[in-house]
Amino acid sequence: MLERHELEAFLTLAEELHFGRTAERLGVSTGRISQTVKKLERRVGTPLFERTSRSVRLTPVGRRLDDDLRPAHRQILAALERATAAGRGVHGTLRAGFGAPWSGELLATAADAFLASHPGCEIHIREVPLDGGVRPLQDAELDVLLTAFPAREPGLTTGPVLSNEPRVLLVPAAHPLARRESVSLDDLAGVPLIAPAGANSRSWLDAHYPARTPSGAVIPRGPVAASWQEVLSYVSAGRGVSPGSARGAHYHPRPGVSYVPLRDAPPVEYGLVWPTSAENALIRAFAETVAAQR
């Protein structure tokens, strides 16, 4: 029978793919996580993770086990949460933030559904600018944030991926790339890339605004933007290009901006993030409601 600490260690490591972050999230030592995983692998009879000095990856068997266990684990947690909420009552004020407008719409819909079931709660929703990163969570200005992943910062818990959006490149309408049906990441070589700065982490910036193309060519930096309105203004003025989500074309149409599919770029993943130390029944119940509304 799979013990609880084995289940949590396996599922957390499968999500983080990093022994140190897994140990931090579970509040144990890295050695404890390693021992637990090795014990589980001996029970299964085959490696569940491929380990090198630089990376940790799931094996095919490990990936299948993760796919089989994770939904059941979520159902168990949700059932316990519902029982706890029924026994103690979920109450209080929740401050939720979003970056993309469609994320704000999802939060608003979820808030309506949540308040219908928990009338004693209050939910306040506000937008976080492009250069805000997860700082509002770290500064205790927000309780949860619906943002583009990755958001693997120390002290933060990331929920499941709630949506995947195709990635596009915002280019000036008069630019030669605007006439193509799609572009490649290698087409960014020599084209100034408009990117935010502010509180965004290096890992987040590298994921969305790379410094080099897949072939190794340098991607020059363009103007620094603090908001999507600044991005759109710089692009329409011909100051550079910027990656984004395809849905942005419906929310941010501009005569001088073309949205061209990035055919070889991974989709943008969105999900909820919250401070691990502040997690409570209210946050968990709201996260469950948001997931149900997607």
Side-chain angles (χ1 to χ4, degrees):
M1 182 177 179
L2 191 62
E3 298 182 10
R4 178 179 175 180
H5 73 277
E6 293 176 320
L7 175 63
E8 292 179 344
F10 171 75
L11 291 177
T12 305
L13 183 58
E15 181 179 331
E16 293 288 350
L17 297 178
H18 190 282
F19 280 87
R21 289 195 295 266
T22 298
E24 182 179 355
R25 279 182 56 178
L26 296 181
V28 298
S29 68
T30 302
R32 175 71 180 276
I33 296 298
S34 180
Q35 292 172 3
T36 301
V37 171
K38 288 179 180 178
K39 179 181 177 181
L40 181 58
E41 289 178 327
R42 287 195 297 270
R43 179 182 302 183
V44 174
T46 188
L48 301 174
F49 297 91
E50 295 178 1
R51 310 165 179 82
T52 69
S53 60
R54 295 184 176 181
S55 67
V56 178
R57 295 185 300 174
L58 283 165
T59 64
V61 173
R63 188 175 299 107
R64 176 61 184 272
L65 183 61
D66 180 57
D67 290 340
D68 289 342
L69 289 178
R70 193 170 296 277
H73 184 245
R74 288 174 182 163
Q75 289 179 357
I76 292 172
L77 292 179
L80 289 173
E81 184 58 41
R82 286 191 292 270
T84 301
R88 300 179 181 177
V90 174
H91 59 276
T93 299
L94 185 91
R95 301 162 300 170
F98 68 92
W102 50 91
S103 297
E105 292 177 357
L106 176 57
L107 287 183
T109 300
D112 289 341
F114 186 83
L115 293 175
S117 301
H118 304 85
C121 297
E122 291 185 16
I123 298 178
H124 303 293
I125 301 173
R126 73 175 179 88
E127 183 177 8
V128 175
L130 183 61
D131 66 349
V134 296
R135 179 64 60 79
L137 294 175
Q138 297 168 329
D139 292 344
E141 296 174 0
L142 289 175
D143 301 305
V144 295
L145 175 64
L146 182 48
T147 185
F149 286 169
R152 291 172 175 167
E153 295 298 303
L156 296 182
T157 294
T158 57
V161 174
L162 297 177
S163 66
N164 292 276
E165 296 293 335
R167 204 177 297 255
V168 297
L169 189 66
L170 284 67
V171 302
H175 196 281
L177 293 178
R179 295 191 290 272
R180 298 188 185 181
E181 292 185 0
S182 66
V183 293
S184 166
L185 289 170
D186 279 318
D187 290 322
L188 295 176
V191 182
L193 193 68
I194 300 165
N200 289 297
S201 67
R202 174 49 53 189
S203 61
W204 190 88
L205 289 171
D206 288 342
H208 296 281
Y209 302 89
R212 292 183 178 272
T213 68
S215 61
V218 173
I219 302 174
R221 300 289 96 172
V224 174
S227 67
W228 276 108
Q229 293 304 318
E230 289 186 13
V231 171
L232 294 167
S233 296
Y234 283 134
V235 173
S236 63
R239 299 283 300 279
V241 302
S242 183
S245 298
R247 201 185 296 197
H250 302 289
Y251 287 84
H252 301 298
R254 282 283 185 97
V257 178
S258 294
Y259 291 77
V260 185
L262 263 169
R263 61 178 178 271
D264 56 352
V268 184
E269 296 180 337
Y270 294 89
L272 285 173
V273 186
W274 58 86
T276 304
S277 61
E279 182 174 324
N280 55 29
L282 176 57
I283 290 176
R284 291 190 292 270
F286 183 69
E288 181 181 341
T289 302
V290 174
Q293 300 299 316
R294 57 180 173 170

